[in-house]
Amino acid sequence: DAGITQSPRHKVTETGTPVTLRCHQTENHRYMYWYRQDPGHGLRLIHYSYGVKDTDKGEVSDGYSVSRSKTEDFLLTLESATSSQTSVYFCAISPQGRSYGYTFGSGTRLTVV
Amino acid sequence: DQQVKQNSPSLSVQEGRISILNCDYTNSMFDYFLWYKKYPAEGPTFLISISSIKDKNEDGRFTVFLNKSAKHLSLHIVPSQPGDSAVYFCAAYNNDMRFGAGTRLTVKP
């Protein structure tokens, strides 16, 4: 989607290294989310943000941290990557955070070897 | 703790026929339900939604039905087209959005 971009699209990293994924939006939406998609689990919420410097944990937040210093950018950091964090990561945005269909980015495929 | 379940990982239908995708949920506090469609190498895209105060919502070829007493919703696609072939995720919203594991729909010409 043109209003939301994720970078990088693909990344291979080694176990134990820190990794940062970036989500950038041009829609000025208040709410931003990070999900991971795994076979058999669908999409699971990692962290979300409801404003600049306002973030909260999702259902699978262990091993992840986030930061949002500007409305348009939401960063996801894996402090010390593990093989269990190999996944496809999606960022999503929403204008109001309630009941609206989220707009998702194209995803980042992360492989931890 | 999977609060939203899609028990059929895949579904195959003939072009022109009806596709019915099913979803069950366990949390009675969900007050909004959505369906997303996902093509390979793309993010999910919003398809259709329904509020918990309704039992049906229709948008063109897509209809979502909600049975609150059974905690069940379904997506009907009529008629199915080859371009509908994708993974469909059911989602439910309370304080955050919970997704099912997805159903891969294949529509054969």
Side-chain angles (χ1 to χ4, degrees):
Chain A
D1 193 284
I4 176 171
T5 55
Q6 292 184 232
S7 59
R9 290 297 310 274
H10 302 273
K11 185 169 182 67
V12 179
T13 191
E14 293 187 349
T15 299
T17 60
V19 178
T20 295
L21 310 182
R22 180 179 183 242
C23 177
H24 178 79
Q25 62 147 330
T26 58
E27 305 296 324
N28 201 36
H29 285 342
R30 179 181 174 190
Y31 290 84
M32 300 185 75
Y33 307 84
W34 276 108
Y35 283 86
R36 60 178 288 175
Q37 184 197 1
D38 303 290
H41 290 279
L43 293 148
R44 290 180 293 174
L45 181 65
I46 305 171
H47 281 279
Y48 66 99
S49 170
Y50 46 96
V52 174
K53 297 191 186 328
D54 292 323
T55 65
D56 207 347
K57 296 179 179 181
E59 61 179 307
V60 290
S61 60
D62 287 348
Y64 301 94
S65 63
V66 290
S67 65
R68 191 169 180 199
S69 58
K70 298 185 291 184
T71 298
E72 57 266 35
D73 289 323
F74 192 32
L75 304 180
L76 176 71
T77 298
L78 288 66
E79 304 290 348
S80 177
T82 67
S83 58
S84 65
Q85 293 176 312
T86 292
S87 186
V88 180
Y89 291 85
F90 289 100
C91 177
I93 59 175
S94 173
Q96 295 189 18
R98 178 174 177 79
S99 305
Y100 276 70
Y102 296 171
T103 300
F104 283 87
S106 298
T108 295
R109 181 173 293 277
L110 176 68
T111 303
V112 183
V113 297
Chain B
D1 176 26
Q2 199 150 7
Q3 299 184 30
V4 180
K5 298 180 182 179
Q6 294 176 258
N7 293 318
S8 298
S10 63
L11 174 68
S12 181
V13 299
Q14 209 66 34
E15 181 179 5
R17 297 292 189 96
I18 183 172
S19 295
I20 300 176
L21 296 94
N22 294 303
C23 178
D24 297 295
Y25 62 95
T26 58
N27 187 347
S28 58
M29 298 301 292
F30 288 135
D31 59 1
Y32 216 80
F33 303 89
L34 307 92
W35 286 93
Y36 287 82
K37 178 179 180 179
K38 185 184 180 305
Y39 292 118
E42 295 182 10
T45 55
F46 170 70
L47 187 59
I48 191 169
S49 63
I50 187 168
S51 166
S52 61
I53 63 174
K54 296 186 176 181
D55 55 18
K56 178 182 175 181
N57 188 27
E58 194 170 352
D59 184 2
R61 296 186 297 115
F62 303 90
T63 303
V64 56
F65 295 93
L66 176 63
N67 183 334
K68 285 183 64 179
S69 61
K71 293 191 177 67
H72 178 84
L73 69 156
S74 61
L75 174 68
H76 293 211
I77 306 174
V78 184
S80 301
Q81 299 174 353
D84 296 330
S85 297
V87 176
Y88 289 78
F89 290 101
C90 168
Y93 190 95
N94 182 13
N95 292 316
D96 60 55
M97 192 92 74
R98 297 295 177 111
F99 288 82
T103 296
R104 181 177 301 279
L105 173 65
T106 302
V107 181
K108 298 181 178 179

